[in-house]
Amino acid sequence: MLIVVLIFVTTYIIIISEKINRTSIALLGAVLLMIFNIINQEEAINHIDFNTIGLLIGMMIVVNIMKRSGIFTYVAIRAAKIAKGDPWKIIVVFSIITAVFSALLDNVTTILLVVPVTLVITDTLEMNPTPFLIPMVLFANIGGTATLIGDPPNIMIGSAAGLGFTDFLLNLGPVVLVIFIVTILILKYTGSNNFHVDEVKKKKIMAFDEKLAIKDLALLKKSLFVLAMTIVGFMFHQSLGYDSATIALLGASVLLVISQIDPEEVLIEIEWPTIFFFVALFILVGGLQEVGIIDFLASKLLDITNGNLFATTMFVLWGSAIASAFLDNIPFVATMIPLIKSIAVLASLNVTPLWWALALGACLGGNGTLIGASANVIVGGMLEKHGYKLSFAKYMKTGFPIMLVSISISSVYLAVFYF
């Protein structure tokens, strides 16, 4: 047991420190479990959640083909023109777009596609892009919380708990909508709408031709059709008896066929390091399960909360939020999933509220700091390349209070509707 703890803790510390590539160190940790005969190769493979892996790969293929059409640039330019070049209105419209795209695709992809266009718009307005991009980060994480496919932690939770796209939308959609509105109001009344741009610069925005952004109209139509059918498939996959990964891979394969794009070109753009990071995490956590550590932690958590479901739910919600603000939420959720399953067995509880608490805490907690979620880190890097520095403290000044408000709203929501 000591060797497992040593490998697991050392691996996580190195992942958090970011001194070594997280996929490399996670794979090494996973293989060491097999080298020390803690689990054999067959057991390691059995611990990999192939539904999560398949869903991630399927959606990555769909997005990688879809982005070739130019749809994301088109929507961003069109939105800026609808806002008539007004900075605060642009922030609001882009926040809505970011939240919706993040819910239907994933938040990291959304940020990678929308931020470059935002930088072009802020350059045209001759403004610092930071006040535009911080809200986009916040709403990427908020929007991604609402659906099964919006954020990797939700994909993992949905697969482990047997919760589908509709389950996430019906249970988390309402509270996410409230958090979205409250966050907009907070940003509006804390000085984020204090912009002044002359009419000449606004006219430059209105002169953009969004139609030029469309690179392949036929591909755009095919991509939107397949995306729409895939989302419909997600809504009915449970009643049809299919796993969510099957639906995602069906959409991906159909789009590959009808787009006639060379699969090698598409597959090479898949985020394989992320996929292997997930594989390694499943094996690492599987090692903890094999030696009984997860059951031990679950029993200790039940001791702390006296087995009370409400107290355990609040503990999971706030603990996940604080942890996800400072740690990578993917390995955290990978550890929490078997722990919650163990609680269900040990205490004979209906742990459904715990799944929603984990999803809300892990996804919304990422808004707390600049390192809380992958989308935050990416935006920080893109700003730096563009000549602007977004410090940890500056982001936290906006992000952490909004995260606390979001989790407070989530606490009330869970207390009212699940107890």
Side-chain angles (χ1 to χ4, degrees), residues 90-247:
I90 289 175
I91 289 174
V92 173
V93 176
F94 273 42
S95 296
I96 295 171
I97 290 171
T98 303
V100 172
F101 277 169
S102 294
L104 299 180
L105 303 173
D106 75 82
N107 52 9
V108 172
T109 301
T110 299
I111 284 294
L112 285 171
L113 295 172
V114 178
V115 167
V117 190
T118 309
L119 292 173
V120 172
I121 289 168
T122 54
D123 284 348
T124 305
L125 293 173
E126 298 179 21
M127 296 184 69
N128 183 340
T130 306
F132 290 76
L133 296 190
I134 288 179
M136 289 176 66
V137 167
L138 296 171
F139 289 110
N141 292 324
I142 291 171
T145 308
T147 68
L148 170 70
I149 56 176
D151 210 349
N154 283 4
I155 295 175
M156 299 162 73
I157 293 167
S159 180
L163 298 168
F165 186 90
T166 309
D167 294 322
F168 273 86
L169 194 60
L170 293 178
N171 286 279
L172 300 188
V175 68
V176 165
L177 182 61
V178 172
I179 291 168
F180 180 94
I181 294 169
V182 171
T183 303
I184 284 283
L185 293 174
I186 290 173
L187 291 173
K188 180 175 177 60
Y189 292 107
T190 53
S192 296
N193 59 334
N194 188 24
F195 301 115
H196 298 285
V197 175
D198 62 49
E199 293 301 318
V200 175
K201 292 169 186 169
K202 289 182 181 178
K203 285 180 180 176
K204 288 183 180 177
I205 296 293
M206 298 306 291
F208 285 161
D209 186 353
E210 64 273 20
K211 293 177 183 173
L212 296 177
I214 300 298
K215 299 172 185 171
D216 189 332
L217 185 58
L219 179 61
L220 172 62
K221 292 177 180 176
K222 293 172 184 174
S223 300
L224 289 176
F225 173 75
V226 170
L227 179 63
M229 290 299 100
T230 303
I231 290 171
V232 170
F234 282 139
M235 290 178 176
F236 296 102
H237 76 94
Q238 288 172 303
S239 54
L240 294 172
Y242 297 116
D243 286 327
S244 52
T246 306
I247 300 298

Side-chain angles (χ1 to χ4, degrees), residues 26-82:
L27 280 172
L28 178 60
V31 173
L32 285 176
L33 292 180
M34 289 179 264
I35 295 294
F36 284 102
N37 292 317
I38 293 157
I39 54 175
N40 59 40
Q41 188 169 302
E42 187 176 352
E43 289 169 336
I45 290 172
N46 287 336
H47 279 291
I48 298 170
D49 183 348
F50 285 101
N51 188 50
T52 294
I53 300 299
L55 181 53
L56 283 168
I57 292 175
M59 291 310 295
M60 285 179 184
I61 291 173
V62 170
V63 171
N64 277 324
I65 295 176
M66 196 172 176
K67 72 180 184 183
R68 294 163 183 251
S69 67
I71 176 65
F72 300 104
T73 307
Y74 172 88
V75 171
I77 293 174
R78 183 70 185 143
K81 292 178 73 171
I82 289 172

Side-chain angles (χ1 to χ4, degrees), residues 51 78 92 135 144 172 211 247 250 267 318 333 335 363 383:
N51 188 50
R78 183 70 185 143
V92 173
L172 300 188
K211 293 177 183 173
I247 300 298
L250 175 64
L267 294 177
W318 283 91
V333 169
T335 311
C363 296
L383 271 171

